[in-house]
Amino acid sequence: MNASQLAAVDLVVAFLATAAWIGAAVMLGTGRLLLARALCALAVTVSLGRVATTVALAAEGWWFAQEKVTLTLPLLLAGGVTAAVLAGPRVFGGARPAAGRAVAGLLTAGYAAAAGLVFPLLIGYPATWSAALLTVTLVGAATLITWRAAGLAGTGGVARAGTALVALAAVVGAGLAFVPGDTVDSGGVPSRLAASRARPVSALRGPTEPAGGGTVRRYELTARQATVTLASGRTVAAWTYNGQVPGPALTATEGDLIEVTLRNQDIDRGVTLHWHGYDVPNAEDGAPGVTQDAVLPGQEHVYRFLANQVGTYWYHTHQVSDRGVRLGLYGTLVVAPRGAASTGLDLAIPVHTFAGEVAFGTHDRADVRETRPGTSVRLRLINTDSTPRRFTLAGTPYRLVAVDGNDLNRPGELSRTGLRLPAGGRYDLAFTMPDGPVALLAGDDLMTGLRLSPDGSAPAVENTANWPELELTRYGSPASGEFGPDSRFDRHFTMVLDRGVRLSGGPKYAHTINGRAYPATPTQIVRADDLVRVTVVNRGFETHPWHLHGHRVLVLTKDGRAPAGSPLLLDTFDVRPGEVWEVGFRATNPGLWMNHCHNLSHADLGMALHLTYEGVSSSFHDGHS
Ligand code: C2O
Ligand code: CU
């Protein structure tokens, strides 16, 4: 069992404990002593079971057990002891103290047990002093009310002392909620402290001339609403660049200068262009409120950067990005190596979901292409959705030659294998066209995808649903690089991802980083040339495709193990439930950068923060990531 499954078991156990304690109280209160006895025995057993799940979770990493060890388990034990003292003699001993007293004792244990269920679901990681005290307040208040009703603590010193304690916990807990330091150490600092610096983001621009024989590639993109017709004839109401979805395919050759003029015709909330995976100078990054203001209707903005990274990338709006990208504000960016004549079939394939149906580019039904045997083929898969997607390639062995634009080292031949592509990520597949047909499927769906066929007829496709999934960290061959898991790092940031109700930026059931939701997330600060290590822990039950702007990260370890295959240089990596990833990067691109989950609805619900270089400041504030 991994940490996520253990956490799920722990929730079930916490639920059973709650139900059993309260059930026992009800049975006793209604005079069914035998049932009460049985439920008490169950309650004690499952309560002890929580000790076991907590120990198992702690073994997976302290982050997975923190609030259980410091808060909910001690509460449960206190509740259990109370129940034993108040109800034990009545339930098991045959003694006849007042039934009300025993029922109140069992209810107290029930309230305490409920904290173990409610806290991880509603508050999540971490249990801060404030959250812990407020939880104790709630359990304490419920207990006091119950005891009063049972005549246990009507008046007198005990009642007054209890009330005073609960009130104190409430006041101190509420007060601490406003103390910025009441969080776990993530290596970050509050963004207020980070802001008071000098060098403006807007000064961090790129070169204005091509390099080494390149030319200037000029593009004009106008954002506007349009009704787009997919290949099947189905129409969708879209937000587009130049009236088309995907937007225009941008291409360049290494050394070219890419210059894109963005205009906004009628997207009221504004748009930008973010070059996903491209380590552009900070001012060209297209992060509204961070590197520029959003481009509103009637406005324009020019982006300029050198095509100095070869490979498969994509662009998308970063303003109201969840909605904007979903509705179509994205396109492909492919940069070819200089001097390499392109031969054969080279396709960039952004795969996107429109109103519940998947489309390869504009093809929402199988896209059949006549392809001569012997043709060298490169398929550039781009997942423009917010959730991971499984791909299979049938009919030929192939190699996964590049991930996120970066070539893998000695990738082996693959066949009958599922490839899981993170949201925002890219896979380049290469093979030589065989004599028979080839099919590329998404989600094992036989109705959609790409078909290459020697004679142009639509081939029959086999079912790929039970093909095993490639483990990327074991694919290809190791190679030594500038740094690795054992290097000395200048900085270490830890991000624990979870869910919980948060109030900053409007109350919501947020996706949190170290207990905070954007914009309350602390800024991570680095110095130029620092070697930075980042630990990402997923404590929740959803996948988080992590994406740092402006830098590619090297995978150091996944669940404690260094990759056994090719070095993996990524810009988006899927941290699945219960997983712990460690990645590293060299801080060589000064600026103020977004660092966020690329499930864009999660980012929208708070799962984002800033990473900034010392001495850089932004004057843009009105953005919305
Ligand atoms: Cu592809 Cu911040 O995003
Ligand atoms: Cu996420």
Side-chain angles (χ1 to χ4, degrees):
M1 259 197 275
N2 82 355
S4 169
Q5 291 157 331
L6 282 169
V9 170
D10 182 70
L11 284 179
V12 171
V13 173
F15 172 78
L16 288 176
T18 309
W21 284 117
I22 291 178
V26 171
M27 289 309 144
L28 187 64
T30 53
R32 280 168 276 193
L33 187 63
L34 276 183
L35 271 176
R37 209 172 264 173
L39 282 174
C40 273
L42 177 65
V44 170
T45 310
V46 286
S47 295
L48 292 175
R50 282 214 61 219
V51 177
T53 53
T54 301
V55 168
L57 278 164
E60 297 288 322
W62 172 245
W63 319 283
F64 296 111
Q66 187 258 358
E67 94 289 359
K68 304 180 204 309
V69 174
T70 62
L71 176 66
T72 64
L73 208 51
L75 261 180
L76 179 61
L77 295 180
V81 168
T82 308
V85 170
L86 293 181
R90 168 106 197 175
V91 175
F92 291 107
R96 298 244 129 222
R101 181 186 164 89
V103 168
L106 293 173
L107 284 176
T108 302
Y111 304 149
L117 179 64
V118 173
F119 193 99
L121 289 176
L122 240 47
I123 309 295
Y125 181 87
T128 58
W129 279 104
S130 118
L133 285 171
L134 290 173
T135 305
V136 169
T137 301
L138 285 178
V139 173
T143 300
L144 276 181
I145 292 168
T146 305
W147 286 22
R148 178 167 291 232
L152 258 179
T155 51
V158 176
R160 271 196 297 278
T163 311
L165 272 180
V166 168
L168 183 69
V171 169
V172 175
L176 281 176
F178 295 96
V179 177
D182 187 26
T183 179
V184 289
D185 178 27
S186 59
V189 302
S191 35
R192 284 190 314 287
L193 297 181
S196 57
R197 304 288 158 86
R199 194 158 156 218
V201 162
S202 49
L204 298 167
R205 304 207 72 106
T208 53
E209 298 293 330
T215 59
V216 181
R217 302 274 182 152
R218 283 205 177 78
Y219 291 98
E220 307 203 337
L221 300 185
T222 300
R224 63 183 172 88
Q225 302 185 36
T227 301
V228 172
T229 307
L230 301 177
S232 69
R234 194 163 71 98
T235 58
V236 287
W239 287 3
T240 73
Y241 292 114
N242 294 2
Q244 61 183 88
V245 169
L250 309 190
T251 59
T253 302
E254 196 178 1
D256 288 351
L257 185 78
I258 298 175
E259 186 185 293
V260 183
T261 303
L262 168 67
R263 297 195 178 84
N264 182 356
Q265 186 172 315
D266 60 2
I267 308 294
D268 291 339
R269 303 275 307 266
V271 295
T272 67
L273 286 171
H274 169 61
W275 313 98
H276 185 114
Y278 227 74
D279 302 339
V280 298
N282 191 229
E284 316 296 338
D285 194 47
V290 178
T291 66
Q292 67 171 98
D293 291 322
V295 178
L296 298 174
Q299 298 181 334
E300 67 172 54
H301 187 96
V302 179
Y303 298 86
R304 216 176 267 115
F305 55 92
L306 214 49
N308 51 7
Q309 277 169 254
V310 167
T312 309
Y313 303 89
W314 63 300
Y315 62 85
H316 61 81
T317 186
H318 219 283
Q319 171 75 349
V320 282
S321 58
D322 180 27
R323 177 133 189 259
V325 176
R326 189 158 24 87
L327 290 178
L329 287 172
Y330 67 88
T332 63
L333 168 64
V334 173
V335 177
R338 177 150 301 272
S342 87
T343 52
L345 180 64
D346 188 324
L347 292 176
I349 311 172
V351 178
H352 196 79
T353 302
F354 291 102
E357 285 192 61
V358 65
F360 283 45
T362 56
H363 293 273
D364 54 340
R365 290 288 170 269
D367 172 18
V368 185
R369 300 187 183 222
E370 187 172 335
T371 310
R372 206 167 32 77
T375 307
S376 82
V377 181
R378 186 175 186 112
L379 305 178
R380 304 168 184 269
L381 311 182
I382 307 171
N383 182 358
T384 59
D385 282 331
S386 270
T387 47
R389 190 176 291 287
R390 173 182 157 97
F391 289 94
T392 49
L393 185 69
T396 180
Y398 65 98
R399 290 172 206 275
L400 171 54
V401 292
V403 177
D404 288 1
N406 302 299
D407 286 348
L408 296 185
N409 185 45
R410 304 175 49 149
E413 210 164 65
L414 295 172
S415 60
R416 305 182 72 80
T417 302
L419 302 176
R420 179 178 142 130
L421 182 57
R426 287 89 59 213
Y427 285 160
D428 287 20
L429 277 40
F431 57 93
T432 302
M433 182 65 191
D435 293 332
V438 168
L440 174 68
L441 303 180
D444 307 296
D445 175 11
L446 302 176
M447 303 304 293
T448 60
L450 176 69
R451 309 285 182 276
L452 306 180
S453 106
D455 61 4
S457 68
V461 182
E462 69 173 306
N463 187 333
T464 62
N466 52 21
W467 291 6
E469 185 181 309
L470 177 71
E471 174 52 56
L472 204 52
T473 57
R474 289 199 285 271
Y475 180 60
S477 304
S480 60
E482 186 213 335
F483 60 90
D486 300 323
S487 301
R488 240 192 55 79
F489 289 83
D490 304 299
R491 312 261 163 173
H492 183 194
F493 301 115
T494 300
M495 294 186 277
V496 182
L497 313 179
D498 205 351
R499 287 211 85 164
V501 175
R502 292 297 182 277
L503 305 179
S504 62
K508 52 183 170 289
Y509 190 41
H511 285 277
T512 58
I513 306 168
N514 298 336
R516 307 239 160 197
Y518 190 84
T521 40
T523 293
Q524 298 170 335
I525 299 188
V526 300
R527 255 188 219 137
D529 292 323
D530 273 353
L531 193 55
V532 184
R533 176 194 203 102
V534 182
T535 304
V536 189
V537 181
N538 187 347
R539 241 193 72 126
F541 297 101
E542 289 164 86
T543 292
H544 300 300
W546 204 261
H547 175 55
L548 167 64
H549 286 206
H551 307 74
R552 286 164 285 181
V553 301
L554 179 75
V555 177
L556 303 172
T557 64
K558 176 187 163 189
D559 288 336
R561 273 183 299 279
S566 167
L568 289 172
L569 213 46
L570 309 175
D571 54 62
T572 318
F573 54 98
D574 257 353
V575 187
R576 299 195 212 183
E579 285 184 351
V580 179
W581 287 62
E582 284 196 297
V583 300
F585 66 92
R586 177 72 72 184
T588 52
N589 195 3
L592 180 45
W593 302 99
M594 295 301 300
N595 193 9
H596 66 94
C597 177
H598 217 281
N599 182 320
L600 297 174
S601 68
H602 294 183
D604 200 33
L605 287 170
M607 198 167 265
L609 52 70
H610 295 162
L611 180 137
T612 189
Y613 283 59
E614 272 186 13
V616 172
S617 73
S618 170
S619 53
F620 306 104
H621 292 299
D622 57 354
H624 190 292
S625 63

